[in-house]
Amino acid sequence: MGGKNESSSGTLELFLKIGLDERTAKNTVANNKVTNNLTAVIHEAGVIEGCNRTVGNLLYTVATKYPANALAHRPVLLEYVVSSKIKTPAQLEAAFSFLSNTASESLHLKDFEEACGVGIEVSVEDIEKTVSEIFELNKESILAMRYRTNVGDIFANIRKKLPWADPKIVKQLVDSKMYELLGERTAADNEKPTKQKKEKPAKVEEKKVAVETPLQPSEEELNPFLNFPDPKENFKVHTEVFFSDRPVLRCCNSKETLDKHLMVTGSKVYSRFPPEPNGYLHIGHAKAMFVSFGLARERDGCCYLRFDDTNPEAEKKEYIDHIQEIVNWMGWKPFKITYTSDYFQELYELAVELIRRGHAYVDHQTAEEIKEYREKKKNSPWRDRAISESLRLFDEMKRGLIEEGKATLRMKQDMQSDNFNMYDLIAYRIKFTPHPHAGDKWCIYPSYDYAHCIVDSLENITHSLCTLEFETRRASYYWLLHSLDLYQPYVWEYSRLNVTNTVMSKRKLNFLVTNKHVDGWDDPRLMTLAGLRRRGVTSSAINAFVRGIGITRSDNSMIRMDRLEYHIREELNKTAARAMVVLNPLKVVITNFDSASVMDLEAKKWPDAQTEDSSAFYKVPFSNVVYIEQSDFRMKDAKDYYGLAPGKSVLLRYAFPIKCTDVVLADDNQTIVEIRAEYDPSKKTKPKGVLHWVCEPSPGVEPLKVEVRLFEKLFNSENPAELDDWLADLNPNSKKVVTGAYAVPLLKSAAVGDRFQFERLGYFAVDKDSAPDHLVFNRIVTLRDSYGKVGGK
């Protein structure tokens, strides 16, 4: 967009004016957070027209490292920097440390100046003397190590003695002293030291038992909510709003406002999970729930489930019901269920008040005109209309007297701001659409940018938590609450969650569903929470996955699917009973076993089953007709092959060794019809290969037949959303249906949602499409764990 490009160009010019080199300036412009901070610092320091490079570099350091808990004192520090009272990085670091400890308390300038070395001048003679002393003390080791000496240690020793010395002069004198003592560098000085091989310890005959030391969880994994402040601390500066034509606005709560808020909440944490009811929730929402509900649970507070229902055209009761059900399934219990539409009357009244205060106006520009004017940073022709006229027109909008699209209410913010989200955002628009929750009472509806922050305030939210793409909306959020003199929650953004080989956009998900590329919102291939649940994934595995990722602001946006699968396996390995299923059966006739007999054998439901615990075993019939996987037989044996082959033996798990004695082929002389084998009832044969199997439960009766659905990644690319033709990236083999699988009798009584490990095949769950005489199983995840072996992002 032209407006953004022009804005970036102006910002780059501003950064170059303060002496940043072009590369640093361009990298800064590419980082929204640093750009906002540095722009704020430049305006605050009053150096919009430029400054020398030394001051500029110090300002850049302030923008990137200044302690967030002491923003109230930043203007004072900037005065010292611009006036060159603080002129070295060491002084600046000392200032940061002092201000961080001071926080929002009163600043005592005398102590501050003393801590930062203000006014202390270190002469060149003093530096020379100290450098000579340090070199004299370390002369022997310097001569021995020559230019491989760790010069950083020398600098550190000088800094201890002369903390406010000019680092450039120190470096010049150290380099000079090194040359004076050692002369020119030689070829030997430039050679890398050879690494001495460590001698291998002598082999000890005794075998030591390997003791596995479990990885200790990080502090953040134990409590990922440590970095959130207490509600009583919500008097600090939340954020700063920078205007193009007036002073910086530091938004924060007054003591009176905060005290009133704490009286209502009892000083407890109040958070909210605010989904839009315009689609099904996906795994990204699992992280949002974990952050907001998790913080409330951790601090013994309250979390609202608040439906952000400001767009009646896209919302459905189906989505509302689904969201409530999924929140409950994920293990979260809302303090209250509310709707933004519950506050439509209060929102309207506050909009009227905003107009009265001169902070909003009725605009008649079309959507295209608004877009064009915002890109060009031009004011609307109706921006300065009389307050009384806007009040009258807004009332007419409410009463349905103005056509849809002919008027909006816009907030009068700052069209010249460096922040695109301060370009007079829309507060209300006309929509003659009944609302699924509020009915047909309203024909004007508030925007997200207007309603979200106000409802946060009305519900006394202490921590308004959202993903990083909302960071640039902070200014608008606080500008509006400040303009209406409302309580201001603490806002914190965290990195959003995206998983590889799928799409997370509700628009794209809706397209896949409505155009039948998938089998509904709960298709097991989707990363919707309904899809994951239907696939057989548990909410506890999803929450463990989210906790493991953390809730920091670092942008770890693309998480490999392997990592989610790792957490799924970790849980299912402990909770899913074992059973045997053959997907592609190959008939094996055991010629030395009585065809009229059936033997009941015991199979383990759990690998570590104890013989005295009968519930840990299940009965599996063994007859003269068994079925193995087609892939477990080859006509030619090989050294690294552990399956069955002519003349070779394998062990049937929980049963007996069998040896292939003959192969029956079809008329084409290639297709294998059945295998003939003999079993070893004594079990003296000790083959290497172990196969799973299913047998005829009685002579001539087929084993239990089941349908098995095997799922792969929905998209071939790791990030299909960034492709121009993302639909072309759909994996045509993402779903395979096996209709003729055979299962052990144990599974006949399986109910929808039951989970099993099919030995050697993976973890499976009973699908909702099942009927008493037709069981359907979804593969949740394979047995192979690539994340645990090679790691994953």
Side-chain angles (χ1 to χ4, degrees):
M1 291 197 313
K4 284 190 177 179
N5 290 336
E6 288 169 22
S7 175
S8 296
S9 175
T11 305
L12 179 62
E13 186 181 346
L14 180 65
F15 293 169
L16 292 173
K17 278 183 182 179
I18 65 164
L20 293 189
D21 63 79
E22 190 169 352
R23 183 180 175 186
T24 303
K26 284 182 177 177
N27 287 341
T28 303
V29 169
N31 185 316
N32 286 336
K33 181 182 175 185
V34 180
T35 293
N36 291 338
N37 286 347
L38 184 55
T39 303
V41 165
I42 292 170
H43 281 80
E44 212 168 83
V47 291
I48 302 170
E49 298 306 317
C51 60
N52 67 58
R53 188 167 188 169
T54 300
V55 170
N57 285 336
L58 292 176
L59 294 180
Y60 182 85
T61 305
V62 173
T64 54
K65 293 186 176 181
Y66 189 85
N69 66 336
L71 280 171
H73 304 308
R74 193 168 70 182
V76 175
L77 174 62
L78 294 175
E79 285 178 20
Y80 277 80
V81 171
V82 172
S83 64
S84 293
K85 290 179 181 177
I86 288 179
K87 53 190 176 184
T88 69
Q91 285 182 295
L92 199 57
E93 289 294 337
F96 291 162
S97 178
F98 182 89
L99 293 172
S100 178
N101 291 328
T102 304
S104 57
E105 296 172 10
S106 299
L107 181 63
H108 300 290
L109 289 181
K110 186 179 178 183
D111 295 340
F112 173 70
E113 290 183 353
E114 187 178 327
C116 303
V118 173
I120 296 176
E121 295 292 336
V122 182
S123 67
V124 176
E125 291 77 16
D126 289 338
I127 300 174
E128 283 179 337
K129 182 183 175 186
T130 304
V131 169
S132 296
E133 288 173 358
I134 299 294
F135 267 79
E136 193 58 39
L137 282 171
N138 297 279
K139 187 174 181 180
E140 192 175 325
S141 65
I142 294 172
L143 286 170
M145 295 294 293
R146 289 187 56 78
Y147 283 102
R148 290 194 293 273
T149 299
N150 187 343
V151 184
D153 289 343
I154 295 173
F155 285 135
N157 287 327
I158 297 168
R159 233 182 349 257
K160 282 180 186 175
K161 295 196 170 191
L162 300 174
W164 314 123
D166 187 324
K168 288 181 182 177
I169 298 174
V170 171
K171 186 178 184 310
Q172 289 169 2
L173 291 174
V174 168
D175 289 346
S176 174
K177 199 72 178 173
M178 288 288 284
Y179 184 81
E180 179 187 320
L181 190 61
L182 304 175
E184 293 283 355
R185 279 178 177 268
T186 65
D189 290 325
N190 295 324
E191 286 179 8
K192 290 183 179 179
T194 54
K195 290 183 180 178
Q196 292 190 350
K197 290 183 180 179
K198 292 181 181 178
E199 288 186 16
K200 290 183 180 179
K203 286 186 179 178
V204 182
E205 291 300 319
E206 300 163 9
K207 286 187 178 178
K208 292 185 178 178
V209 179
V211 180
E212 220 176 86
T213 307
L215 285 172
Q216 293 300 314
S218 66
E219 188 177 32
E220 187 184 335
E221 282 182 297
L222 291 171
N223 186 353
F225 308 103
L226 288 172
N227 53 348
F228 294 122
D230 189 270
K232 291 177 183 176
E233 296 177 17
N234 203 7
F235 57 86
K236 297 176 182 177
V237 175
H238 300 119
T239 198
E240 294 171 312
V241 182
F242 306 99
F243 293 104
S244 58
D245 58 350
R246 53 195 185 277
V248 173
L249 169 65
R250 288 190 184 80
C251 298
C252 59
N253 289 312
S254 66
K255 187 177 185 305
E256 294 74 25
T257 301
L258 183 60
D259 286 348
K260 183 180 176 183
H261 158 79
L262 295 173
M263 186 87 68
V264 174
T265 63
S267 301
K268 282 188 173 184
V269 163
Y270 272 53
S271 58
R272 84 287 175 273
F273 172 57
E276 294 178 71
N278 61 356
Y280 276 44
L281 300 184
H282 54 64
I283 197 165
H285 294 105
K287 180 173 181 177
M289 280 187 259
F290 179 82
V291 176
S292 292
F293 281 105
L295 173 64
R297 180 183 288 179
E298 173 67 27
R299 303 279 181 88
D300 193 26
C302 307
C303 182
Y304 286 88
L305 167 57
R306 183 208 305 155
F307 290 100
D308 178 25
D309 57 344
T310 58
N311 183 8
E313 293 172 335
E315 292 151 15
K316 292 181 186 176
K317 176 98 170 38
E318 172 195 351
Y319 300 144
I320 291 171
D321 293 343
H322 156 75
I323 290 169
Q324 289 189 48
E325 181 191 347
I326 284 292
V327 167
N328 183 60
W329 177 71
M330 287 296 295
W332 306 116
K333 295 199 182 324
F335 159 61
K336 283 182 184 177
I337 297 175
T338 60
Y339 299 77
T340 296
S341 55
D342 293 340
Y343 303 93
F344 275 177
Q345 185 61 39
E346 291 96 322
L347 289 165
Y348 170 76
E349 289 168 4
L350 286 167
V352 171
E353 179 60 24
L354 198 66
I355 298 170
R356 285 195 183 116
R357 295 186 180 200
H359 297 312
Y361 60 97
V362 172
D363 187 20
H364 298 296
Q365 288 184 300
T366 64
E368 293 74 21
E369 287 170 336
I370 290 174
K371 181 175 180 288
E372 179 190 346
Y373 272 55
R374 293 183 85 219
E375 288 175 355
K376 293 179 179 178
K377 300 177 79 168
K378 286 173 60 179
N379 289 348
S380 163
W382 288 277
R383 193 175 200 264
D384 295 320
R385 76 187 330 159
I387 289 173
S388 58
E389 192 179 355
S390 282
L391 287 169
R392 175 180 61 79
L393 289 167
F394 189 49
D395 180 61
E396 289 179 5
M397 287 170 61
K398 175 180 178 285
R399 291 189 289 132
L401 302 178
I402 301 177
E403 290 179 45
E404 192 169 319
K406 295 296 183 181
T408 58
L409 182 69
R410 293 180 68 185
M411 295 179 268
K412 193 184 288 188
Q413 294 168 298
D414 184 2
M415 290 296 294
Q416 303 307 310
S417 173
D418 290 325
N419 185 341
F420 194 72
N421 285 296
M422 285 291 285
Y423 293 176
D424 289 11
L425 299 177
I426 290 173
Y428 271 86
R429 65 269 199 231
I430 302 167
K431 285 182 186 289
F432 292 106
T433 305
H435 191 280
H437 187 65
D440 58 3
K441 180 180 177 183
W442 298 89
C443 63
I444 56 170
Y445 293 101
S447 67
Y448 170 87
D449 291 295
Y450 174 77
H452 181 68
C453 56
I454 293 178
V455 178
D456 273 357
S457 182
L458 295 176
E459 290 187 337
N460 278 289
I461 299 303
T462 59
H463 296 74
S464 179
L465 309 172
C466 51
T467 48
L468 278 170
E469 67 264 31
F470 291 96
E471 185 176 21
T472 55
R473 286 175 160 164
R474 267 201 200 192
S476 171
Y477 183 102
Y478 283 120
W479 172 88
L480 182 54
L481 294 181
H482 175 84
S483 298
L484 290 168
D485 294 322
L486 295 175
Y487 157 76
Q488 299 169 21
Y490 167 78
V491 173
W492 196 84
E493 301 90 1
Y494 52 88
S495 59
R496 68 180 295 162
L497 170 58
N498 287 311
V499 178
T500 57
N501 304 96
T502 190
V503 290
M504 306 286 267
S505 151
K506 278 189 184 174
R507 182 180 59 80
K508 286 185 168 69
L509 287 170
N510 192 45
F511 186 91
L512 291 173
V513 172
T514 54
N515 290 279
K516 308 210 179 292
H517 292 288
V518 292
D519 306 323
W521 282 99
D522 66 347
D523 187 299
R525 291 167 291 177
L526 293 176
M527 284 291 109
T528 58
L529 293 174
L532 288 167
R533 177 174 63 174
R534 182 175 178 184
R535 187 163 180 155
V537 178
T538 63
S539 58
S540 49
I542 296 170
N543 283 326
F545 164 66
V546 172
R547 176 180 280 271
I549 291 166
I551 55 175
T552 62
R553 286 169 59 83
S554 58
D555 189 15
N556 55 343
S557 56
M558 193 57 67
I559 306 298
R560 290 183 58 80
M561 180 83 77
D562 306 1
R563 186 162 180 172
L564 171 60
E565 291 177 347
Y566 166 78
H567 287 281
I568 296 169
R569 285 190 195 92
E570 278 286 288
E571 179 172 306
L572 291 176
N573 187 45
K574 300 168 188 170
T575 59
R578 274 56 172 172
M580 290 192 293
V581 172
V582 174
L583 297 183
N584 300 293
L586 176 60
K587 188 176 182 180
V588 179
V589 178
I590 302 173
T591 56
N592 63 336
F593 189 87
D594 183 3
S595 61
S597 298
V598 176
M599 184 187 301
D600 272 343
L601 304 176
E602 282 199 329
K604 291 181 178 181
K605 289 183 183 178
W606 312 101
D608 53 355
Q610 302 299 311
T611 51
E612 61 271 16
D613 181 6
S614 59
S615 66
F617 294 84
Y618 68 93
K619 298 291 183 184
V620 56
F622 181 76
S623 65
N624 80 314
V625 176
V626 302
Y627 295 88
I628 63 172
E629 293 286 355
Q630 290 179 16
S631 59
D632 281 336
F633 179 81
R634 288 182 188 175
M635 290 298 290
K636 288 188 177 181
D637 197 9
K639 189 177 181 182
D640 58 348
Y641 174 62
Y642 295 96
L644 191 62
K648 184 178 180 181
S649 295
V650 294
L651 176 66
L652 296 181
R653 189 154 174 78
Y654 308 120
F656 305 95
I658 62 169
K659 181 179 181 179
C660 175
T661 56
D662 194 13
V663 180
V664 180
L665 298 176
D667 293 339
D668 61 7
N669 215 31
Q670 287 187 339
T671 306
I672 299 170
V673 176
E674 70 179 47
I675 306 297
R676 302 286 169 84
E678 293 181 351
Y679 88 113
D680 174 9
S682 68
K683 299 186 180 181
K684 289 180 179 177
T685 311
K686 301 295 180 185
K688 289 183 179 178
V690 181
L691 307 184
H692 64 284
W693 55 279
V694 174
C695 86
E696 288 185 352
S698 57
V701 177
E702 272 193 345
L704 175 65
K705 188 176 280 189
V706 297
E707 179 180 316
V708 178
R709 296 172 182 174
L710 306 174
F711 301 108
E712 298 293 342
K713 290 163 182 172
L714 185 57
F715 288 89
N716 292 313
S717 301
E718 287 203 344
N719 192 3
E722 68 182 6
L723 302 175
D724 291 334
D725 189 0
W726 61 280
L727 280 174
D729 192 55
L730 277 166
N731 177 9
N733 302 311
S734 61
K735 178 182 177 181
K736 180 183 177 184
V737 179
V738 179
T739 55
Y742 283 156
V744 291
L746 168 75
L747 295 180
K748 189 171 185 178
S749 59
V752 174
D754 285 353
R755 300 173 184 87
F756 300 90
Q757 184 196 104
F758 292 174
E759 298 205 35
R760 298 178 67 221
L761 298 177
Y763 295 97
F764 293 77
V766 182
D767 187 76
K768 67 177 185 179
D769 287 346
S770 295
D773 59 345
H774 180 70
L775 283 173
V776 179
F777 289 89
N778 295 324
R779 184 168 66 190
I780 308 167
V781 69
T782 60
L783 292 177
R784 182 177 53 84
D785 179 7
S786 58
Y787 175 75
K789 289 178 182 176
V790 299
K793 184 179 173 186

